[in-house]
Amino acid sequence: MTEKICVVGLGYVGIPVAAKFAEAGYNVVGIDVDRKKIEKINQGVFPLKGEEPGMKELVEGVVKEGKLKASLDYDECKDADFILVSVQTPMKGDVPDYSFLKGAVEEVGKRLKKGCLISIESTLAPKTMVNIVKSVLEKESGMKAGEDFYLVHCPERVRPGHLLYQLENFNRVIGAINKESGEKAKEFYSKIVKGNLDVTDMTSAELVKTIENTYRDVQIAFANEMALICEKLGADVYDVRKLVNKCPWRDMYTPGAGVGGHCIPKDSRLLAHSVSGVYEPTFIREARRINNYMPHHVVDLVKENLKEKNPKVSILGMAFVKDTEDTRNSPSLVIIEELKKGLFEVEAYDPYAEGYSDFESCLKNSDCLVLATDHAEFRKLNTSGELEKIKKLMRTPLIVDGRNLFDKKLCEEMGFVYKGIGKG
C-alpha cells in the first residue's frame, strides 16, 4: 500500500512540496481553508499567478494521475503516514502571531496516527518547536513526541519565481527531536531533495532559518544605505557596486525601493523575539529600520520633483518580487499609502496581481511613473519607442525608478526627468 502524506497549508511552499511528493509516488492530500484554491487544484490547475517554471505542468499531471488532491477536511490526517505543516507565521508588531500554526497543529494533533512523522516547514522563532509545537501535539494526541510519533522542523528554502528548482536542488536542514526522527525525516525528504540534508536539533534548525534570512536583510540594508550615500554625493550606486564587487570576497547586494515578501521582513524579528528580555539585537533592528525606510524614500523622491496641483502618480508593480503575484509586505503598498496621505491620486498596474490590470489607464494623464517591481514585462519599456508612448500618455514626464530598470541617459534624452534609488 502506498504511503499517504498530508500537506497542511497550500501556498508557495505547500503546493510545490505536495506536488513533488505526489510525483515521487506518494498519495498526497493538501489541506487548506481556501475553498477556491481547493477547487482549482482538484481541477489540475496551479492556483498561483506568475512565472513558476514547471509548476503548472506538474500539478496538472499529478492530479490527473490521482496522486494529488486537495481538501478542506482535516480528517484526511487520520491515516496519514507523514504530515507536513506549511502555514504562515506572521508578526503582530514585534510578537509572532502563531494563531495559524497553533490552529493547524491542534487539528493535526487530534487526528494523529501513532508512528506518523510530522514536519513543520513554516519559519519559526527559536524555541517554538519545543515550547509550542511539541506541547500542543502531545496535549491534543495524548502521545509523546519522539516515542509515539516522529517530530522534526525542516524549514523551507524556496522563493517565488523559483519554487521547483530551489525545492529540488537547495540543501535543507532537519531539526529533529531525537535521532530516530532525524533519520526517518532524512530518508523521507531524500525522495524529492537532491541537495544535502543536514540533521541537527530543533532549536538549531530554527536558528539556521531565521539567521540566514536575517543575514540577507542586513546585506540588503547595507546596499540601501550605500545607495543613499551615493545619492548625496552625486554618484551612481550601481556603477560603484560593480567596481566594489570586483574586489575578492566582496558581494555587495543590489539596493532598491524596499524589501517585501512574507519572510525577509519578519524573520529578523522572529529571531530578535527569541531573546526578548535577555538581549537587545540592535544591529539587526537597525538593518530592518533602513529597509523599512526605502519605500518612504521613494515617496520623498516623488514629492521633491513633482510640483503640479492635484498630481496623479502611476505605480508600476505591486508584487514584492518580479514575475509573481505575491504582494505580501510589498514596498508598493507603503508607497501608495504614503502618497494617498499626501492627497495624491494614485493608480497602479501589475500584470499578475489581482485588480491592477490596465497599463494605459494607469499611465494616462499621470504626473509621475514610479517603477516599484522589475517584472520582465516592464523591462521591455526601456526603449526609445516605448518611452515615447509612455510620454504621450503622461501629463508630466517624470520617472522615479525604484529598481534600476530604466536607462537614465535614455530617459533624459527622451525628455523625462529621471530620479532613481542611488542615482545622484
Side-chain angles (χ1 to χ4, degrees):
M1 177 178 164
T2 303
E3 291 176 303
K4 180 180 178 180
I5 299 172
C6 281
V7 178
V8 180
L10 296 175
Y12 285 95
V13 176
I15 296 175
V17 167
K20 283 303 295 182
F21 274 114
E23 184 185 46
Y26 291 88
N27 288 324
V28 183
V29 178
I31 299 172
D32 201 276
V33 296
D34 187 333
R35 187 178 295 275
K36 289 183 179 179
K37 188 181 289 184
I38 296 296
E39 291 173 353
K40 283 188 176 181
I41 291 173
N42 285 333
Q43 293 165 5
V45 176
F46 179 58
L48 306 178
K49 293 181 180 179
E51 299 300 320
E52 286 295 348
M55 277 304 307
K56 292 179 181 179
E57 297 82 2
L58 178 59
V59 170
E60 181 181 11
V62 292
V63 170
K64 188 175 181 180
E65 292 172 7
K67 304 304 282 185
L68 172 65
K69 72 173 185 177
S71 175
L72 298 163
D73 191 358
Y74 271 95
D75 280 349
E76 291 284 357
C77 294
K78 287 181 176 179
D79 60 345
D81 302 289
F82 304 91
I83 299 175
L84 284 64
V85 178
S86 59
V87 296
Q88 61 176 316
T89 52
M91 299 288 291
K92 284 187 176 179
D94 283 332
V95 178
D97 176 6
Y98 284 142
S99 57
F100 300 99
L101 177 68
K102 287 180 179 177
V105 172
E106 285 173 359
E107 295 296 334
V108 166
K110 292 173 185 176
R111 299 161 173 84
L112 191 58
K113 182 177 81 171
K114 191 171 183 178
C116 182
L117 168 69
I118 298 179
S119 175
I120 308 298
E121 296 209 355
S122 308
T123 303
L124 310 172
K127 294 296 183 181
T128 302
M129 286 296 296
V130 172
N131 295 336
I132 295 178
V133 174
K134 174 178 175 290
S135 301
V136 171
L137 285 172
E138 290 183 336
K139 178 185 175 183
E140 297 296 336
S141 68
M143 295 188 285
K144 189 167 180 61
E147 294 182 12
D148 301 308
F149 61 92
Y150 304 96
L151 179 63
V152 301
H153 174 45
C154 187
E156 52 84 13
R157 273 178 174 162
V158 295
R159 185 171 180 239
H162 312 274
L163 296 177
L164 277 184
Y165 177 83
Q166 293 177 346
L167 174 61
E168 291 181 63
N169 294 285
F170 278 16
N171 301 330
R172 299 285 291 273
V173 60
I174 297 170
I177 194 171
N178 58 9
K179 181 180 178 181
E180 292 75 19
S181 293
E183 290 174 348
K184 189 172 183 66
K186 186 172 184 178
E187 193 274 335
F188 173 64
Y189 276 101
S190 69
K191 299 295 193 299
I192 66 168
V193 176
K194 298 175 184 176
N196 295 331
L197 294 165
D198 298 302
V199 180
T200 184
D201 62 274
M202 294 193 297
T203 300
S204 292
E206 291 165 323
L207 280 162
V208 168
K209 179 57 191 290
T210 51
I211 288 175
E212 66 190 37
N213 278 350
T214 299
Y215 181 57
R216 182 170 174 81
D217 202 26
V218 168
Q219 288 177 306
I220 297 170
F222 176 81
N224 282 332
E225 188 155 60
M226 295 310 101
L228 298 174
I229 289 173
C230 286
E231 278 184 43
K232 297 298 183 183
L233 297 177
D236 186 324
V237 70
Y238 298 95
D239 290 341
V240 170
R241 173 180 174 267
K242 287 178 184 177
L243 297 175
V244 166
N245 287 346
K246 286 190 174 183
C247 178
W249 307 297
R250 304 296 185 270
D251 185 19
M252 180 174 160
Y253 274 35
T254 304
V259 181
H262 180 60
C263 298
I264 302 296
K266 101 180 148 59
D267 288 357
S268 61
R269 290 182 289 154
L270 286 175
L271 180 61
H273 175 78
S274 69
V275 290
S276 178
V278 295
Y279 179 73
E280 177 56 32
T282 55
F283 180 65
I284 61 176
R285 288 197 188 281
E286 179 62 13
R288 186 90 297 274
R289 185 196 68 77
I290 292 169
N291 288 336
N292 281 338
Y293 167 69
M294 296 310 291
H296 299 277
H297 181 58
V298 171
V299 174
D300 289 341
L301 289 176
V302 173
K303 290 180 177 179
E304 289 167 6
N305 294 280
L306 193 54
K307 308 303 180 185
E308 285 72 11
K309 293 182 179 180
N310 304 313
K312 175 183 175 180
V313 179
S314 304
I315 311 293
L316 293 189
M318 290 300 300
F320 85 91
V321 67
K322 64 180 180 180
D323 302 332
T324 78
E325 66 170 351
D326 196 345
T327 62
R328 291 175 297 177
N329 298 310
S330 173
S332 298
L333 300 173
V334 179
I335 293 168
I336 291 172
E337 181 181 7
E338 285 297 302
L339 287 172
K340 286 185 174 180
K341 284 181 183 177
L343 302 180
F344 287 72
E345 179 187 350
V346 184
E347 193 166 345
Y349 167 72
D350 192 291
Y352 300 112
E354 291 281 345
Y356 307 97
S357 59
D358 194 331
F359 177 78
E360 290 199 4
S361 172
C362 176
L363 286 171
K364 190 173 183 180
N365 297 322
S366 175
D367 298 295
C368 179
L369 183 164
V370 175
L371 193 287
T373 312
D374 55 340
H375 289 307
E377 177 176 314
F378 296 156
R379 293 198 170 276
K380 300 172 185 177
L381 302 177
N382 191 36
T383 67
S384 57
E386 292 299 321
L387 285 169
E388 183 63 32
K389 292 177 185 177
I390 290 171
K391 188 178 177 183
K392 288 180 179 178
L393 286 169
M394 297 178 70
R395 181 168 58 188
T396 306
L398 169 62
I399 291 176
V400 173
D401 190 349
R403 298 294 175 189
N404 193 36
L405 183 143
F406 291 101
D407 182 283
K408 179 181 180 180
K409 183 178 179 182
L410 177 61
C411 289
E412 290 175 343
E413 287 175 353
M414 296 299 299
F416 286 89
V417 174
Y418 175 95
K419 298 296 175 179
I421 297 288
K423 302 267 192 170

